[in-house]
Amino acid sequence: MSQTGSSVALIPARYILAVLGSIAMAIIYGLKVNLSVAMVAMLNHSALAHHGALSVDEKVHVNAEPVCQGSNSTEAVEDGPFIWSEPVQGIILSCYFWGYLVSQVPGARVAESFSARWVMFFSVLINVVCTLLTPVAAKMHYVAMIVMRVGEGIGGGVTFPAMHVMLASWAPPNERSVMSAIVYAGTALGTVISMLMAGVLAGTLGWESVFYVMGGLSCLWMVLWLWLIQDTPSKQPLISQEERDLITSSLGSGSASGHGGEPKPPVPWRKVFTSGPFYGILIAHVCNNWGWYMLLIELPFYMKQVLQFNIKENAVVTAIPFLTMWFFSMALSKTLDALRSRGKITTTIARKTATFIASAVPMGCLLALCYIGCQRGLAVTLMTVGITAIGGMFCGLLSNHIDIAPNYAGTLMAITNTAATLSGIIVPIFVGQITHGNQTIGAWRVIFFVTIALYILEIIAYLLLASGEEQPWNKGDKPASSIEATEAEATPLNTKESKQSYNGQEQ
């Protein structure tokens, strides 16, 4: 075992996990958004126009009076085989969330109780199978398409909880921000890569290739995941003994540190739902997700409807911030972890700092957008800065579940992410109602001010309630005397001297 471990010592096993986890998130998000691009090539736009069912872009072109002078122009789109009305298109695109909402908590409990590694594997497997079957399903009936999308949602819903369980077992506290940022920044990269790749494939090889190529390439990840990843360091043969000791000693027996086989106590639901730090994460997650969907999904419509960017320009200005977000999240997480390891800041301050950046900066950018008028260059700059700053949430609130209760990190993530997912459903409806027949700067100011108000709520709630310290109920519903007795019997790996030794290694 030691020989095997030393052969991969140049790349720490925990960072192999982080990179493959990031690729998994990129796959899930990539397969989630590729239909949005492919559907343009799948629809028979001529037939839909003939039947009076104009596409969204056509409605904007017909009904909206340009607010700013730009280069917005309609572009000819080759007709596909499907005559799906606008309501049917909306159902197909939104039904992903039906499966996403219902699978998170059950998936989290399975990951915590049995194996997060296998939950992640089957999550990607379900998405790959449904993606490869999408062309066949589309040709059968749009109901079959709905079934495929719901299936993808079920698989996608368990990814965040399962990865939280993996990180709780693999990430030393002083590296938790960096590893979380690496993993969850994959969502941004997956989105932009998928959007660009799907556009090229649909335009050159046809819409079916979007699903066959992207689904087929994702199969490579499944092989690597089963070969290189285990649930815990204690089960991992491809790891050096030094790294195994570093991880287990830093996590201790009170965390989900992978001592293997020890059953976790049942979730103390009453204590969870009466916990201030938990509500700090919950409120911040919901509000931040509203801003996330507003900036990443709806702002491109603002660029088109109000600032009159054409489709090609819109694709470029939408893609760039994903890359800057990735770089920023890596730099911020590394900085915060370095400060924590040197004792300059606490975990609580690190989480609050990252979350404040991820909310205050986008809030300021949205406020500025309300008053810059038709300055298109400045608008692009503000959008880029705002979306880039959102990357702070990866090492902020999204990492915080593991801090307060590593034994239940997956379940806590499932609860807050389920609530936060509702923002993804409500935001498009809200924007559609406000801008219906009124695609003006004034209408978008209303939208932006509502988002700003939610950002203010997030900042206040998180700064007042959030904590980076492990909560007593992480041990379950055991009485305090029982917890103290358990800790007294802990191995030397939990002692103060051992933790000091670990901190010395980190520095």
Side-chain angles (χ1 to χ4, degrees):
M1 182 180 296
S2 61
Q3 290 180 349
T4 306
S6 61
S7 66
V8 293
L10 291 177
I11 305 177
R14 61 191 186 279
Y15 282 98
I16 294 176
L17 165 70
V19 170
L20 285 179
S22 182
I23 295 173
M25 302 305 292
I27 290 172
I28 294 296
Y29 267 67
L31 298 184
K32 171 184 175 181
V33 303
N34 62 6
L35 180 62
S36 302
V37 179
M39 189 173 282
V40 176
M42 296 169 69
L43 296 173
N44 189 322
H45 299 274
S46 300
L48 288 171
H50 178 72
H51 287 89
L54 295 175
S55 69
V56 174
D57 282 342
E58 288 168 326
K59 282 186 176 179
V60 169
H61 183 68
V62 171
N63 296 330
E65 291 186 12
V67 176
C68 303
Q69 295 299 316
S71 57
N72 192 13
S73 61
T74 56
E75 299 179 15
V77 179
E78 185 176 346
D79 285 333
F82 303 109
I83 308 175
W84 292 333
S85 66
E86 196 171 78
V88 170
Q89 296 173 39
I91 291 174
I92 292 173
L93 290 173
S94 66
C95 63
Y96 179 94
F97 290 104
W98 304 351
Y100 194 89
L101 285 171
V102 302
S103 66
Q104 293 194 69
V105 174
R109 294 306 295 148
V110 172
E112 289 170 345
S113 302
F114 299 100
S115 171
R117 169 182 178 249
W118 281 106
V119 171
M120 278 300 301
F121 175 81
F122 282 109
S123 168
V124 175
L125 176 63
I126 291 171
N127 273 264
V128 168
V129 170
C130 290
T131 297
L132 293 174
L133 291 177
T134 292
V136 178
K139 294 171 183 177
M140 290 175 59
H141 198 273
Y142 73 82
V143 173
M145 278 287 293
I146 292 174
V147 173
M148 293 298 103
R149 293 293 290 177
V150 172
E152 288 187 44
I154 291 173
V158 304
T159 52
F160 275 92
M163 279 311 306
H164 252 42
V165 175
M166 295 293 291
L167 288 170
S169 297
W170 276 92
N174 285 341
E175 298 179 22
R176 197 169 282 161
S177 297
V178 170
M179 290 184 63
S180 296
I182 291 173
V183 170
Y184 296 126
T187 60
L189 286 180
T191 300
V192 66
I193 291 172
S194 177
M195 293 176 69
L196 297 175
M197 188 175 178
V200 172
L201 288 172
T204 56
L205 301 177
W207 65 268
E208 295 100 329
S209 67
V210 174
F211 306 101
Y212 290 139
V213 173
M214 297 180 69
L217 290 176
S218 301
C219 293
L220 298 174
W221 174 91
M222 293 188 288
V223 176
L224 294 174
W225 182 260
L226 290 183
W227 175 34
L228 298 174
I229 303 301
Q230 295 294 332
D231 277 300
T232 63
S234 61
K235 296 179 181 178
Q236 174 64 275
L238 303 176
I239 186 174
S240 67
Q241 188 60 46
E242 292 79 8
E243 184 182 5
R244 182 182 289 109
D245 291 343
L246 184 149
I247 296 172
T248 55
S249 64
S250 67
L251 293 175
S253 62
S255 302
S257 55
H259 291 293
E262 289 185 7
K264 294 184 179 68
V267 179
W269 295 108
R270 182 182 61 82
K271 293 180 180 178
V272 169
F273 287 107
T274 55
S275 169
F278 168 74
Y279 278 107
I281 299 173
L282 177 64
I283 295 171
H285 202 166
V286 171
C287 295
N288 200 273
N289 246 36
W290 179 284
W292 166 273
Y293 284 113
M294 186 63 66
L295 283 167
L296 270 63
I297 297 177
E298 298 301 329
L299 200 56
F301 285 99
Y302 173 80
M303 311 297 282
K304 178 177 177 61
Q305 294 175 5
V306 176
L307 299 181
Q308 298 295 291
F309 280 88
N310 66 34
I311 294 174
K312 289 181 179 179
E313 290 174 328
N314 215 344
V316 173
V317 299
T318 303
I320 291 175
F322 286 97
L323 299 177
T324 56
M325 176 198 288
W326 187 87
F327 287 114
F328 173 74
S329 64
M330 294 298 103
L332 179 62
S333 61
K334 188 64 177 176
T335 300
L336 293 176
D337 270 352
L339 291 174
R340 288 170 61 214
S341 66
R342 295 169 186 165
K344 302 294 185 181
I345 60 174
T346 64
T347 301
T348 300
I349 293 176
R351 299 291 177 248
K352 289 183 177 180
T353 300
T355 302
F356 180 81
I357 292 172
S359 50
V361 175
M363 180 182 70
C365 292
L366 287 177
L367 184 61
L369 276 174
C370 293
Y371 298 105
I372 64 170
C374 298
Q375 300 180 60
R376 300 166 85 226
L378 182 56
V380 171
T381 301
L382 288 170
M383 185 185 77
T384 302
V385 172
I387 294 177
T388 298
I390 291 180
M393 73 176 177
F394 299 135
C395 57
L397 67 97
L398 285 185
S399 304
N400 204 183
H401 312 74
I402 308 174
D403 300 319
I404 66 172
N407 281 330
Y408 310 110
T411 296
L412 298 188
M413 168 56 87
I415 296 170
T416 65
N417 200 37
T418 297
T421 299
L422 295 176
S423 297
I425 300 174
I426 297 172
V427 163
I429 298 173
F430 171 70
V431 173
Q433 290 295 321
I434 297 295
T435 60
H436 181 66
N438 185 31
Q439 295 159 355
T440 63
I441 291 178
W444 279 94
R445 278 180 185 153
V446 174
I447 295 168
F448 292 160
F449 275 123
V450 169
T451 306
I452 289 169
L454 289 174
Y455 271 133
I456 293 174
L457 174 61
E458 174 189 355
I459 292 171
I460 294 173
Y462 198 76
L463 290 180
L464 291 177
L465 298 175
S467 172
E469 303 303 316
E470 182 181 337
Q471 300 301 296
W473 45 265
N474 180 54
K475 308 297 191 300
D477 282 316
K478 296 179 182 179
S481 59
S482 175
I483 295 174
E484 291 174 0
T486 301
E487 291 176 343
E489 297 172 0
T491 65
L493 291 176
N494 271 334
T495 63
K496 180 179 180 181
E497 291 78 6
S498 176
K499 292 181 180 179
Q500 289 175 341
S501 175
Y502 163 69
N503 290 331
Q505 293 180 53
E506 284 300 297
Q507 296 175 25

